[in-house]
Amino acid sequence: MANFKRKDLVKQGAIWAFIVAELIFFSIAGEFLSVSEKAFMDFDNMLLLLKQSAPIGIIAVGMTIIMVNGNIDLSVGATFALAAIVLLDSMTWPFMQAMGNWAIPLAWLFALATGVILGAINGLIVWKTGVDAFIVTLGSMLGYRGLVFIYNGEQPTSHLNWTLVDFAEAQFLGLHTATWFLLGVVLLCWLLMTRTVHGRNAYAIGNNREAAVNAGIRVGPHFLWNFMLIGFLAALSAVVFYSESGSVNPNDGMLYELWAITAVVLGGTKLSGGYGSIISTLGGVIAIQLLRKGLGHIGADTETVNLVIGLILIAVLFLDRQLNRKGKEELRT
Amino acid sequence: MSTQTPALRLEGIVKTFPGVRALDGVSFSVMPGEVHALMGENGAGKSTLMKVLGGIYQPDEGQIFIAEDATVMSSPLQAKSKGVVFIHQELSLADELSVAENIYLGELPRKSLGRVDWEKLYAQTDDILKTLNVGFNARTKVGDLSIANQQMVEIARALTVEPRAVIFDEPTASLTDAEKVVLFEVIADLQSRDVGVIYISHRMEEIFKITDRISVLRDGQYRGTLNTKETNEEEVTQLMIGRKLDLSRNEMTHSLGPVALEVRNLSCGKLFENVSFTVREGEVVGFYGLVGAGRTEIAETIFGLREPSGGEILLDGEGVTVHSPADAIARGISLVPEDRKGQGLVLGMNCRDNMTLPQVDDMTAGPFVSDGAEIAIFDQYRDKLDIRTPGWRQMVGNLSGGNQQKIVIGKWLSMHPKVLIVDEPTRGIDVGSKSEIHNLIRELAAQGYAVIVISSEMPEVLHVSDRIVAMYAGKVTREFTAAEVTEDGLIQAISGL
Ligand SMILES: Nc1ncnc2c1ncn2[C@@H]1O[C@H](COP(=O)(O)OP(=O)(O)OP(=O)(O)O)[C@@H](O)[C@H]1O
Ligand SMILES: [Mg+2]
C-alpha cells in the first residue's frame, strides 16, 4: 500500500470522528428529548445497533468492492429479496422437509447460489456487452424484482424454522450472530482488497481502466468475479436476516442499494472508482444506523431522518472536496 | 548484423480505422541489441504500429514474427509474456496506487491464496528505482509525483522482466535533461543485454545520439530504413515529409507596438517570486528554464488559474485583477496549456466542438449553436495547422498525439487574443509541423499579437523569440535580446550559475 500521508489519515479517520460526534450528540440530546427512559449509549442498545447494521452493512461491503472497481450495482435489493424467498420457500419443499435439520444448510446453499447466479448474470452482461454497469443493473434491478413478484405474487413468503431462529438469535461473546457475520465479511473483504492481487487489480481497474488493460489485466473477469461476490453478499445478508424473521414481503430490500451506496460514499469511497476502503464503509454503515436510531431516540420521524441523512451526505461530499484542496497555491477551479 | 535473426519482425501490417487507413502494409524489424528509431509525422501511424506489436490492436492483415516464429499477439498480456514491453506515449498509470504497484501492474508477485508478496514487490521495485537514480521510493503514491517522475515510473516498467524488445513511444516529451541522461543509460544497458529497442521521438538530436537505424513511416506507409551513421537530419526529414524544411529563422522585421502586458513583482507562494517583465505588441518573449522553474505557474497566474500572493498585472498599462480564466479570456488573454490531455481537450468530444469550445457562447443562430460558423472555424485552422483527421466528426481521443496538440493550439488561436501564452507548444509535434507552428507564432506577432512562448527546448526559444527571459527556481535570472543571446549564456542563466 502507498505511504500514508496526513491527508489520507484525516480522510480515513473522519468517519470515525463523525461517529464519536454522533454518540456524544445523541447522548446529550437524549437526556433532554428522549421519549424512552433508557440512555442512548446503553450497552445493549449498541449491540442491537450493530446487529441492525448487518443487512445493509454486508451489502455495503460488496458495494465498496464494486465501486472501487469502477462499477455500481443497483440490483442488490432485488437480489436480497429473491435470495430470501429461495431460502424460506425451499425449506417447505417435500424432499427438504424430509431431511429434518439438514434442510437448513441446504436452504442456505440454495439462497447463496441464487445470489451468485444473479450477480454472475450482471457481471457477464457488463463484461460481454461493455454497457455501463449503472444501466445493466438498473435493468436487472427491475427484472429481479419482477422475478420476486412472479414467485409468490403480492403474498409474503413465510416459513419459520425454530432451530434456525435459535441460531440467528444466539449471542456469542455478547455479539449477535448477524454481527459476527458482518464483522467476518468486513475482515475477509478487507483482506481481499488490501492483500490480494485480485483486490489490488480491482483498484487499478477502477482508477485507470485503460492503464489496466494496457498492463494486461483482464478487466472483464475481474468484473465478473466482483459481481458474483456482491451477489453472494446480498444473498448472505438475506440469509442472516430472514433466518430470524422467517417471512419475506415482495417489497423487502427496496432502496437497500441506495442505503448501501450512501454508506459507501460516507466512508469516503470515490464514486468514480479506484479509491475506497472496506473499513471506512463499515464506519459509514454504523454512522447511518446511529443517525437513524439516534434521531428516533429523540423523537424524529422517518421522513426527518431521511432528510437529515441526505443533508449530511451532501455536506460530507463538500467537506471531502475541501479536504482534497492543496491550499492557496493550488489551481482554481 | 544482417546474418543475425531479428528480435522481432513485422511484415505487411495493415490496420484500418473507420475513415483512416492508419497502416498500409508496413514491414519493420529490430535486431537484438539495436536501438531502432521509428519516425514520421504526426498521424503517420507510429503508435498504431506499436500497438499492433503490443497486442492492443489486431492487424487486418500481416504477420508478427518473434525470432522468426509467426506469432499472434492477442492481448497486451500475451505480448508481455513474449517479452515485448511497451512504454506508452500517454502516461498509462493508476495514480491512486503506489509506485511499486504501478511498475508491476498486471504482474504483482504472488504468495499462496492469491496474496500479494509485498516484501518481494517493494524489494524488487527499490532495486529498479536505484538503477534509475530517482528521488522517490516504491511506496510513494503515483498521483503525488511530478509528470516527469511519472514518466520515470513508466520507464521503470521496462526493467521488470527480461524483455526481448522494449518500445519507447516518445518517452522524453516531459523529461528534464537530467532524467533524459538516466533514460539513455537505461537504453544503453538494455542494448548491452541484447534487447531490441524501438525508439519513437520527434527530437532529431536524440535520434542521432542514441539510435543505430532509423525507419520512416509516412501516411501509414513504410518509406525506408537508414543507418543513423550514414545519414543526416535533412535526409530523414525529406523522407518523413517529402520535402525540405526551411529552418532559417523567420527574420520578418516589424515595428513593436506599446506594452501590452506588464508584470511587476508577481509572486505566488514559493512557486515563483518577484517576477517582472513586459511584452509589447508584436513581440515574442520566450521563457526558458528547466522543468519546474515556475514558468507554467506564471502563465497560469496571468490566466487567472492561480491567485497571486503579491505583485501586479497590467494590461495596456492598466492594473487588472484576473479572477478566473473566463475573466482572462474576456480581457484578451489566451493560454495554450502544456498538459493537453488534462487541461486542453475533451477527448470524448469531436474535433470541431473541441476547437470552438471557448467561444461557443458567441456563435449562436437564434437559440441554437450555429453549425456553419463552427465548421468554418474548424476548416480554417485545420488548413492552417495541417491537422490530420478524416473530418470534424472524429473524436479527439482517436487522433494521434501531435494532432491533438494542434487542435488545442487552433482552439486558442481562433479566439484572436491580444496576449497569447503558449506553454510547450511543440511537445510531441513532428519537425514539419513544428516549423509551421514556429512560423505561425512569428506571423501572429507580426500581426500585432503579444506572444509568450514557454519552452524547454533551446532551439525553439532561440528560433522564435525576440527576447528571452531565463528562469531558475522561481526567479528570473536574466533577460536576453535575440541579438545578444548565446547558448552558453542561456545555460548558465537557467542553472542558477
Ligand atoms: N482508435 C482509433 N480510432 C480511429 N482512428 C485512429 C485510432 N487510433 C489512431 N487513429 C488514426 O490513425 C492514424 C495514425 O495514428 P498514430 O497514433 O499511430 O500516429 P503517430 O504516428 O503515433 O503520431 P504522433 O507522432 O502524433 O504520436 C491517425 O490518423 C489517427 O487519427
Ligand atoms: Mg504517437
Side-chain angles (χ1 to χ4, degrees):
Chain A
M1 270 181 294
N3 280 2
F4 279 116
K5 304 224 297 207
R6 210 179 73 223
K7 194 179 84 194
D8 288 317
L9 279 181
V10 171
K11 277 180 94 164
Q12 312 227 319
I15 188 69
W16 303 106
F18 181 60
I19 289 173
V20 170
E22 277 181 282
L23 284 173
I24 294 171
F25 174 80
F26 288 124
S27 300
I28 296 172
E31 291 294 313
F32 302 103
L33 298 169
S34 174
V35 282
S36 84
E37 290 298 304
K38 272 169 112 181
F40 183 66
M41 283 274 269
D42 180 74
F43 188 68
D44 285 335
N45 204 16
M46 290 299 117
L47 284 182
L48 197 60
L49 181 135
L50 278 176
K51 179 186 173 185
Q52 288 165 339
S53 302
I56 301 270
I58 292 174
I59 296 177
V61 167
M63 192 67 84
T64 311
I65 298 174
I66 287 284
M67 285 170 66
V68 160
N69 211 181
N71 288 319
I72 201 149
D73 187 349
L74 300 178
S75 70
V76 283
T79 305
F80 173 85
L82 204 57
I85 288 184
V86 170
L87 173 80
L88 299 183
D89 199 52
S90 67
M91 284 190 283
T92 64
W93 299 341
F95 85 92
M96 292 278 278
Q97 298 224 318
M99 287 170 63
N101 275 341
W102 283 109
I104 296 176
L106 212 55
W108 279 49
L109 202 69
F110 288 151
L112 294 175
T114 306
V116 171
I117 291 168
L118 296 181
I121 294 173
N122 284 335
L124 273 176
I125 297 177
V126 171
W127 173 9
K128 294 298 179 187
T129 65
V131 177
D132 198 86
F134 184 90
I135 307 294
V136 172
T137 60
L138 186 66
S140 58
M141 170 176 97
L142 299 172
Y144 295 169
R145 183 64 67 182
L147 288 179
V148 171
F149 278 96
I150 289 172
Y151 207 98
N152 220 354
E154 306 275 345
Q155 301 303 316
T157 307
S158 308
H159 178 79
L160 265 186
N161 178 319
W162 290 108
T163 321
L164 202 50
V165 175
D166 284 343
F167 170 71
E169 281 183 344
Q171 273 172 288
F172 178 66
L173 296 179
L175 298 179
H176 296 91
T177 308
T179 309
W180 281 111
F181 271 95
L182 174 62
L183 295 180
V185 164
V186 166
L187 179 69
L188 286 177
C189 289
W190 177 72
L191 288 174
L192 175 77
M193 293 307 278
T194 55
R195 302 288 163 87
T196 70
V197 174
H198 176 84
R200 299 318 293 170
N201 284 351
Y203 277 96
I205 292 168
N207 190 194
N208 186 343
R209 187 156 163 191
E210 202 181 320
V213 172
N214 286 343
I217 295 176
R218 299 190 61 214
V219 171
H222 273 90
F223 285 173
L224 178 58
W225 280 115
N226 289 335
F227 272 107
M228 283 164 70
L229 181 60
I230 196 175
F232 174 85
L233 290 175
L236 183 68
S237 165
V239 159
V240 170
F241 185 74
Y242 289 100
S243 290
E244 183 169 359
S245 100
S247 174
V248 50
N249 275 309
N251 277 326
D252 281 5
M254 257 191 202
L255 295 187
Y256 272 28
E257 58 281 345
L258 296 187
W259 286 114
I261 293 169
T262 307
V264 173
V265 172
L266 269 183
T269 296
K270 266 196 200 164
L271 273 167
S272 52
Y275 182 90
S277 132
I278 302 281
I279 307 284
S280 299
T281 293
L282 178 65
V285 171
I286 293 175
I288 290 184
Q289 196 59 32
L290 259 175
L291 263 180
R292 287 169 123 175
K293 251 188 127 63
L295 289 170
H297 185 69
I298 60 176
D301 52 18
T302 325
E303 288 73 28
T304 320
V305 173
N306 288 350
L307 180 67
V308 170
I309 294 180
L311 289 175
I312 285 180
L313 184 66
I314 294 170
V316 163
L317 290 179
F318 174 73
L319 283 178
D320 182 62
R321 246 185 74 83
Q322 296 301 314
L323 219 99
N324 278 328
R325 302 179 72 135
K326 295 188 183 99
K328 260 202 136 198
E329 290 176 5
E330 80 145 5
L331 287 171
R332 293 175 183 160
T333 41
Chain B
M1 199 173 261
S2 55
T3 53
Q4 261 181 309
T5 48
L8 51 88
R9 189 158 68 82
L10 293 141
E11 207 170 278
I13 303 288
V14 175
K15 177 75 196 171
T16 52
F17 296 110
V20 200
R21 199 169 173 85
L23 295 173
D24 192 4
V26 175
S27 300
F28 177 83
S29 69
V30 58
M31 296 291 170
E34 174 193 41
V35 180
H36 196 146
L38 188 57
M39 297 198 72
E41 288 177 282
N42 297 130
K46 305 178 296 292
S47 296
T48 306
L49 186 66
M50 292 303 111
K51 284 179 184 168
V52 167
L53 181 54
I56 295 168
Y57 293 153
Q58 295 309 308
D60 302 339
E61 283 170 42
Q63 267 191 310
I64 301 169
F65 297 89
I66 290 190
E68 294 302 316
D69 293 329
T71 315
V72 178
M73 295 287 193
S74 54
S75 68
L77 195 63
Q78 206 208 354
K80 220 193 261 175
S81 72
K82 299 267 179 200
V84 177
V85 176
F86 193 167
I87 314 295
H88 286 266
Q89 176 170 14
E90 311 288 350
L91 289 170
S92 180
L93 300 168
D95 56 9
E96 290 286 355
L97 302 189
S98 66
V99 167
E101 284 174 288
N102 268 286
I103 292 177
Y104 283 91
L105 198 62
E107 49 188 7
L108 296 172
R110 286 165 190 263
K111 289 193 291 198
S112 59
L113 295 174
R115 285 175 304 155
V116 178
D117 191 341
W118 293 104
E119 273 131 59
K120 194 167 161 199
L121 175 67
Y122 289 138
Q124 287 177 346
T125 306
D126 279 328
D127 282 347
I128 292 174
L129 294 180
K130 225 172 278 160
T131 64
L132 289 178
N133 215 351
V134 288
F136 51 88
N137 66 41
R139 293 160 197 253
T140 314
K141 197 169 106 177
V142 163
D144 293 335
L145 297 176
S146 67
I147 298 287
N149 278 333
Q150 292 187 8
Q151 187 70 47
M152 293 308 277
V153 174
E154 284 267 359
I155 289 167
R157 286 176 169 170
L159 306 176
T160 60
V161 282
E162 271 305 318
R164 185 187 303 275
V166 181
I167 303 162
F168 290 96
D169 196 352
E170 296 193 41
T172 52
S174 49
L175 291 189
T176 64
D177 288 332
E179 288 150 340
K180 258 181 241 174
V181 172
V182 177
L183 170 66
F184 294 158
E185 279 167 12
V186 168
I187 290 178
D189 178 54
L190 288 171
Q191 211 174 352
S192 70
R193 281 158 40 197
D194 262 354
V195 176
V197 176
I198 302 171
Y199 191 84
I200 301 179
S201 173
H202 291 295
R203 299 193 174 160
M204 288 286 186
E205 71 281 5
E206 293 172 6
I207 298 284
F208 280 89
K209 193 162 153 194
I210 66 166
T211 69
D212 301 309
R213 286 196 296 166
I214 303 171
S215 284
V216 176
L217 294 183
R218 183 155 98 227
D219 293 332
Q221 286 171 341
Y222 173 68
R223 286 288 152 159
T225 301
L226 304 164
N227 279 327
T228 310
K229 283 208 186 71
E230 295 154 17
T231 182
N232 54 36
E233 289 191 20
E234 217 171 312
E235 194 179 3
V236 176
T237 311
Q238 172 95 30
L239 210 53
M240 272 170 63
I241 63 177
R243 62 188 154 83
K244 286 216 170 86
L245 262 191
D246 177 18
L247 282 174
S248 64
R249 188 175 186 285
N250 196 328
E251 292 295 354
M252 215 177 354
T253 46
H254 49 270
S255 53
L256 299 183
V259 172
L261 171 74
E262 181 172 2
V263 165
R264 285 190 198 148
N265 294 321
L266 196 66
S267 306
C268 181
K270 289 198 174 60
L271 295 170
F272 58 87
E273 284 164 281
N274 290 327
V275 170
S276 306
F277 62 90
T278 60
V279 190
R280 298 170 65 175
E281 283 177 15
E283 189 180 35
V284 180
V285 175
F287 272 72
Y288 187 59
L290 296 173
V291 175
R295 299 163 302 162
T296 297
E297 289 75 11
I298 294 176
E300 285 169 347
T301 308
I302 296 172
F303 192 57
L305 277 165
R306 289 177 193 275
E307 198 179 325
S309 56
E312 289 177 274
I313 299 171
L314 295 89
L315 279 174
D316 295 326
E318 240 178 83
V320 293
T321 319
V322 186
H323 295 287
S324 66
D327 211 11
I329 293 169
R331 292 178 195 275
I333 306 174
S334 281
L335 169 67
V336 180
E338 77 181 318
D339 167 17
R340 62 172 173 262
K341 241 185 162 176
Q343 297 161 15
L345 290 170
V346 187
L347 292 177
M349 230 152 82
N350 69 39
C351 294
R352 180 199 68 185
D353 292 352
N354 260 292
M355 198 178 273
T356 56
L357 195 58
Q359 51 181 325
V360 73
D361 286 348
D362 304 331
M363 293 198 310
T364 47
F368 304 110
V369 177
S370 156
D371 255 7
E374 281 194 282
I375 293 173
I377 290 184
F378 173 74
D379 282 344
Q380 183 189 349
Y381 286 93
R382 175 172 70 181
D383 294 346
K384 211 169 191 163
L385 300 174
D386 189 25
I387 298 172
R388 301 281 171 83
T389 156
W392 62 261
R393 285 191 179 81
Q394 182 70 285
M395 277 208 320
V396 163
N398 288 341
L399 295 188
S400 77
N403 281 306
Q404 291 182 1
Q405 179 73 345
K406 291 184 190 174
I407 297 265
V408 188
I409 294 181
K411 169 168 122 181
W412 291 108
L413 285 184
S414 70
M415 295 293 294
H416 303 295
K418 274 176 70 111
V419 178
L420 177 69
I421 309 172
V422 284
D423 195 354
E424 305 286 358
T426 61
R427 172 176 296 169
I429 289 203
D430 65 58
V431 278
S433 321
K434 208 173 201 167
S435 72
E436 278 163 37
I437 287 173
H438 291 164
N439 288 342
L440 194 77
I441 289 173
R442 295 299 314 169
E443 219 173 89
L444 289 168
Q447 289 167 20
Y449 293 107
V451 186
I452 296 176
V453 176
I454 299 173
S455 176
S456 307
E457 282 186 66
M458 185 169 329
E460 178 160 283
V461 270
L462 289 175
H463 191 70
V464 299
S465 318
D466 295 308
R467 228 149 23 89
I468 298 173
V469 176
M471 288 196 63
Y472 170 74
K475 296 201 176 66
V476 173
T477 46
R478 249 192 95 176
E479 237 186 85
F480 302 84
T481 63
E484 71 185 7
V485 67
T486 60
E487 292 196 7
D488 281 348
L490 259 186
I491 289 174
Q492 276 189 10
I494 64 153
S495 32
L497 298 173

